[in-house]
Amino acid sequence: MIPLGRGLLLGDGASVYSSEPRRSKRGVKAGMEHVFVYTRKRREFGRPCHFSDRPAELIVDILPDAGLRAEFVERNPLPAQVQCGPEWSEHEVNTERLESEARGMNHVEGGWPKDINPLDMEQTMRYRKKVEKDEHYRSAIVRLGSIMEHYIKQNNAVDIYQEYFTEGQEEDDEEEEQEQPVARTISVFRDPGAVKRWVTALSWSPAGGCKLAAAYSCLDFQRAPPNMSYDSYIWDLENHSRPEMSLKPASPLVCLEYNPKDSHILLGGGYNGQIAYWDTRKGSHPVETSPIEVSHREPVYKVIWLQSKTGTEAFSGSTDGQVLWWDIRKLSEPTEKLVLDLSRKGDLGHALGCLSLEFETTMPTKFMVGTKQGLVVSCNRKAKTPAEKIVCTYSGHNGSIYALQRNPFFPKYFLTVAGWTARIWSEDVKESSIMSTRVHLLDGCWSPVRPSVFFTVKMDGTLDVWDFLFNQKDPTLSLKVCDEALWSLRVQDNGHFLACGSQQGTTTLLEISSGLCTLQRNEKALASEMFERETKGAKILEEQQREIRLKERSRSEQSKEEERKESEKVERAKELLERAERHFFHMKIICKHFMCFFYRSLLTLTN
Amino acid sequence: MSVEETIKRIQSQKGVQGIIIVNAEVLICNAGIPIKTTLDNSNTVHYAGLIHQLVMKARSTVREIDPQNDLTFLRVRSKKNEIMIAPDKDYFLIVIQNPSE
């Protein structure tokens, strides 16, 4: 039986059965078509049909024709496809784009009943009066009023935001002071050129210092690779992937300084001895360069701006033994010249090579020069004759002096960084430093915020922070910045940030912990006390040395010891005693060793 | 005790900057009608409109968490002053106080 739908069944043998309404005329059977004609009288149209059941009536009976079978071929096996899988259907849905906009709303008076126009004063007044007469209103407001009063009084009675434990807060601050000082790297500025050059000088921009100028050059004598670029860069602290501006000198810059009065002007000293100045508003090329004939003959190692009314004067020092003064408005020749010849004859051949300069704005006529030979020369600019310009020298370093800086709080004391030590000197004591350390250093500077803190960088890429109120022999904090030597170091004016430049051209920006850059209580007093103490000790030692030298020729070694014992008794300060004692015991131990050795050798000889 | 007296008493307290009484009928739009005020008109309208919505929100919040609960008082403390709102079924009493330090 194959269902054909709607009450028609095609049975096996094809008989068609159907149910039909009562009034039927005829049905055409057999052949192709099955037609059913339905006729009725016109007046009977629209009348409901009355259907009734009647038994099935055979209409067609198609018997199977055996002959047809021959036209079909049996197929075995029969390929059939079966798939066991879920049924899928694909739909696309997209919401309608809704445009939204954020807008402020101006509150207009609203909430008024429909019949009252809010702009009409009279109507609103009338409405208000009506509400006020409402009994419910009265009782509600009175009740709310009393509740409100309670809270108002409460507010007035107690201030809930009062700080009860301010003392506790102060204690917290103190605890913070005890914590380990740390410094962390904030960003690293890499030399964009392919050939890595040394960062030989750094300078922060004045008044806030959000820009850092770095001078790149190669200080190895004649070992600069031929395709090394000559540019130096100005970095913006925010953007460490690209320099903000590049400065293009005629030869690589060895030193670079921002004008402290004008943050657009920079002065640079080049490897070939020329001085050039830039205005950042005017572009990357120097505004003016000094001619080669009147410039230095060797690389200009240091350039410092001078304090002057016009803010355009500077001086430069170089290893050719000259210190030249310039006015940048006229760079065609130096305004003044000084030859660092100790014999005061102005002889260039005997002159000392200058590696660093120091100028303090509070002492505008004096300046100091650190030389390659290890001497610090103090000079007076306003001396009448060139011979008198050199006032005095400080010796004691055994290496060339890389950095020289006065303490920003106590200008009488200055820091020198040379060869193997960093020393702190007092102006009065000329022959020895008052404090010294033992490491191989390349650059150093004082912290502008704390009088007892200074920073040094080493050949192995370590940054040391020294706090000599805390510990004089070792750095308070030692931080490995990079693997190569660090050549330059600068602290920003607020004391928080530090930039150091390495041999591979990377400048690292570090942030120092607040403990190291906030002025502690009594620090100035303590620092000055310590300085004075050390100065006294050094002076006394100096005197001792002088005495000893005088008596050296006439006395033997033993009497020297006696003298030392005598000097022991001369007490001026406790430290002096300790120091002398230290020396004495040291000598004593050496003598003891000698004696032991002597006795032992005696014994061996006799045995 | 009349309404006038109540308002006078509140006004005389230390630090009180202004008082507004708002009608809480939410018939047409979501703003309250200021019935009585001691501030100027524009400020009053501002406060009435904004605070009305805030109180409705706060009340519904409290009620949703616990249907038996209801809002009795609302304080908004800011840097410059404190806004205190006492809600009732039909009216709010708003007081702006500057808690003197």
Side-chain angles (χ1 to χ4, degrees):
Chain A
M1 290 288 200
I2 302 163
L4 276 179
R6 287 195 177 242
L8 290 170
L9 292 170
L10 192 65
D12 192 57
S15 326
V16 177
Y17 301 85
S18 72
S19 56
E20 54 187 358
R22 195 161 45 112
R23 299 237 194 167
S24 70
K25 284 289 169 174
R26 53 176 178 269
V28 177
K29 284 191 261 188
M32 298 298 152
E33 285 176 294
H34 287 266
V35 174
F36 189 79
V37 177
Y38 181 62
T39 58
R40 54 166 65 196
K41 291 186 186 151
R42 201 177 188 127
R43 59 184 157 135
E44 288 173 27
F45 270 12
R47 273 210 196 149
C49 288
H50 297 292
F51 290 102
S52 57
D53 278 328
R54 61 188 192 89
E57 194 185 293
L58 181 63
I59 299 174
V60 165
D61 195 12
I62 303 171
L63 292 168
D65 187 0
L68 283 177
R69 224 165 226 271
E71 295 181 29
F72 289 90
V73 172
E74 196 173 298
R75 201 170 162 195
N76 196 2
L78 190 70
Q81 283 163 0
V82 167
Q83 179 175 353
C84 180
E87 281 187 17
W88 294 95
S89 71
E90 187 181 312
H91 293 279
E92 247 181 49
V93 171
N94 196 5
T95 53
E96 277 177 23
R97 279 285 168 95
L98 181 69
E99 281 202 12
S100 64
E101 192 183 310
R103 271 199 199 164
M105 197 168 100
N106 194 14
H107 277 275
V108 176
E109 203 160 332
W112 293 98
K114 262 191 272 192
D115 48 347
I116 295 178
N117 179 6
L119 300 170
D120 185 356
M121 269 284 284
E122 216 192 279
Q123 285 186 344
T124 54
M125 288 293 288
R126 224 185 296 156
Y127 183 82
R128 283 202 181 105
K129 286 224 171 67
K130 193 179 73 181
V131 171
E132 281 175 23
K133 289 201 178 76
D134 187 13
E135 184 52 47
H136 187 43
Y137 170 82
R138 259 179 244 240
S139 52
I141 296 299
V142 170
R143 187 174 53 83
L144 292 178
S146 56
I147 297 174
M148 184 63 81
E149 254 192 273
H150 167 74
Y151 287 114
I152 291 176
K153 284 183 186 159
Q154 197 183 60
N155 263 350
N156 284 331
V158 173
D159 175 15
I160 63 175
Y161 291 123
Q162 184 187 14
E163 299 277 355
Y164 289 118
F165 301 108
T166 47
E167 298 82 19
Q169 275 199 352
E170 273 178 20
E171 274 167 20
D172 280 341
D173 285 346
E174 275 184 21
E175 274 174 33
E176 271 187 293
E177 283 172 21
Q178 311 293 342
E179 79 182 18
Q180 266 300 92
V182 283
R184 54 185 193 96
T185 315
I186 299 184
S187 51
V188 177
F189 305 104
R190 286 180 213 283
D191 182 4
V195 179
K196 299 297 172 200
R197 303 164 292 166
W198 304 4
V199 180
T200 46
L202 290 166
S203 172
W204 289 91
S205 69
C210 48
K211 293 205 226 286
L212 185 62
Y216 295 86
S217 62
C218 185
L219 286 177
D220 266 343
F221 181 61
Q222 289 190 348
R223 244 180 276 164
N227 53 347
M228 187 177 88
S229 87
Y230 288 171
D231 293 351
S232 293
Y233 300 107
I234 298 182
W235 297 88
D236 189 336
L237 292 187
E238 313 286 313
N239 181 6
H240 49 90
S241 48
R242 272 185 333 109
E244 194 196 340
M245 195 169 141
S246 67
L247 305 168
K248 298 188 199 302
S251 82
L253 288 178
V254 180
C255 60
L256 189 54
E257 279 285 333
Y258 262 100
N259 186 342
K261 297 229 176 85
D262 183 353
S263 54
H264 295 283
I265 305 221
L266 291 123
L267 187 65
Y271 194 69
N272 61 358
Q274 283 180 306
I275 309 276
Y277 89 95
W278 280 264
D279 189 333
T280 52
R281 294 167 292 206
K282 291 195 190 143
S284 303
H285 285 275
V287 178
E288 207 184 324
T289 317
S290 64
I292 297 206
E293 312 85 54
V294 298
S295 311
H296 292 278
R297 289 187 182 74
E298 292 206 17
V300 180
Y301 276 94
K302 188 90 179 173
V303 165
I304 297 192
W305 288 92
L306 286 174
Q307 182 87 313
S308 72
K309 277 177 265 172
T310 51
T312 53
E313 291 186 39
F315 68 129
S316 64
S318 148
T319 38
D320 65 352
Q322 289 178 326
V323 176
L324 299 172
W325 278 263
W326 307 85
D327 186 332
I328 58 168
R329 291 169 297 190
K330 186 168 159 272
L331 271 182
S332 53
E333 63 164 9
T335 48
E336 240 181 286
K337 198 176 357 190
L338 169 68
V339 177
L340 285 173
D341 181 15
L342 278 185
S343 58
R344 298 193 170 105
K345 277 190 223 126
D347 186 357
L348 259 182
H350 287 253
L352 308 163
C354 148
L355 269 187
S356 53
L357 291 172
E358 166 60 26
F359 176 76
E360 177 68 29
T361 48
T362 52
M363 288 194 272
T365 56
K366 292 205 280 192
F367 67 95
M368 289 199 291
V369 180
T371 60
K372 204 160 181 174
Q373 285 77 4
L375 292 171
V376 178
V377 184
S378 160
C379 310
N380 187 342
R381 193 186 166 189
K382 295 287 181 225
K384 309 235 171 27
T385 64
E388 276 175 37
K389 282 222 169 137
I390 298 177
V391 173
C392 56
T393 64
Y394 301 89
S395 60
H397 265 302
N398 46 9
S400 34
I401 297 180
Y402 291 106
L404 179 57
Q405 197 188 8
R406 285 185 195 259
N407 187 328
F409 289 86
F410 302 106
K412 252 181 44 162
Y413 306 101
F414 57 95
L415 169 74
T416 57
V417 171
W420 299 92
T421 58
R423 287 167 187 257
I424 302 182
W425 304 74
S426 157
E427 259 192 4
D428 311 324
V429 180
K430 305 209 177 14
E431 283 178 37
S432 63
S433 63
I434 54 180
M435 278 183 280
S436 73
T437 65
R438 279 159 298 170
V439 266
H440 188 187
L441 302 166
L442 285 174
D443 198 0
C445 60
W446 290 100
S447 158
V449 188
R450 289 190 56 183
S452 60
V453 173
F454 65 93
F455 306 93
T456 54
V457 282
K458 294 215 290 256
M459 195 80 185
D460 61 357
T462 323
L463 168 77
D464 291 326
V465 181
W466 303 78
D467 181 356
F468 63 77
L469 278 182
F470 191 64
N471 187 346
Q472 282 181 34
K473 291 270 181 307
D474 301 305
T476 314
L477 173 66
S478 192
L479 190 74
K480 184 126 179 100
V481 175
C482 55
D483 290 323
E484 56 271 358
L486 286 172
W487 277 94
S488 53
L489 171 70
R490 257 324 164 88
V491 184
Q492 203 206 17
D493 292 325
N494 65 5
H496 270 283
F497 292 107
L498 195 78
C500 37
S502 77
Q503 200 163 345
Q504 291 293 317
T506 43
T507 311
T508 316
L509 181 68
L510 294 134
E511 184 186 358
I512 321 171
S513 70
S514 52
L516 284 173
C517 49
T518 41
L519 194 59
Q520 318 287 354
R521 295 179 244 142
N522 308 332
E523 190 176 329
K524 270 198 188 174
L526 286 173
S528 78
E529 257 181 59
M530 152 155 304
F531 277 132
E532 276 168 39
R533 217 168 48 212
E534 297 291 333
T535 323
K536 255 191 249 169
K539 272 195 201 153
I540 288 158
L541 275 177
E542 217 182 288
E543 283 178 28
Q544 272 182 16
Q545 295 283 336
R546 246 179 264 148
E547 278 180 42
I548 285 158
R549 255 181 267 136
L550 284 173
K551 290 176 185 164
E552 209 179 59
R553 286 153 204 176
S554 44
R555 297 262 199 123
S556 62
E557 275 218 358
Q558 232 191 351
S559 42
K560 243 192 266 172
E561 264 183 63
E562 274 176 41
E563 243 175 65
R564 287 226 178 86
K565 270 195 213 163
E566 270 181 322
S567 66
E568 224 184 279
K569 293 175 197 158
V570 180
E571 269 183 10
R572 306 253 183 107
K574 255 196 200 170
E575 281 76 33
L576 165 64
L577 176 63
E578 276 172 38
R579 214 183 266 256
E581 265 186 319
R582 246 184 280 141
H583 279 290
F584 173 68
F585 285 124
H586 192 61
M587 289 300 301
K588 209 176 171 190
I589 289 166
I590 291 182
C591 282
K592 255 198 202 159
H593 282 303
F594 258 75
M595 300 303 276
C596 290
F597 179 76
F598 191 65
Y599 281 137
R600 234 183 280 143
S601 50
L602 266 180
L603 284 170
T604 49
L605 278 175
T606 50
N607 285 3
Chain B
M1 268 233 291
S2 77
V3 172
E4 289 299 326
E5 273 182 45
T6 315
I7 292 177
K8 266 209 195 72
R9 275 194 30 194
I10 294 176
Q11 186 102 42
S12 64
Q13 298 285 347
K14 191 165 75 142
V16 171
Q17 283 173 347
I19 305 173
I20 306 171
I21 302 176
V22 180
N23 187 346
E25 280 179 56
V26 192
L27 291 173
I28 293 147
C29 73
N30 269 337
I33 312 167
I35 306 290
K36 198 149 187 82
T37 174
T38 61
L39 300 171
D40 56 274
N41 198 34
S42 59
N43 263 328
T44 306
V45 169
H46 235 130
Y47 272 111
L50 295 167
I51 289 177
H52 188 265
Q53 296 180 47
L54 183 65
V55 172
M56 287 303 161
K57 192 72 176 182
R59 189 181 263 162
S60 66
T61 307
V62 170
R63 281 225 130 131
E64 236 179 89
I65 293 172
D66 180 3
Q68 312 293 328
N69 210 351
D70 193 12
L71 183 70
T72 51
F73 199 77
L74 187 61
R75 281 208 214 203
V76 180
R77 190 121 189 182
S78 73
K79 268 200 281 200
K80 295 192 184 164
N81 50 22
E82 178 163 352
I83 305 168
M84 294 185 280
I85 306 147
D88 182 55
K89 200 157 63 72
D90 289 329
Y91 306 98
F92 303 149
L93 176 63
I94 303 169
V95 172
I96 300 138
Q97 190 194 15
N98 191 354
S100 34
E101 265 49 278

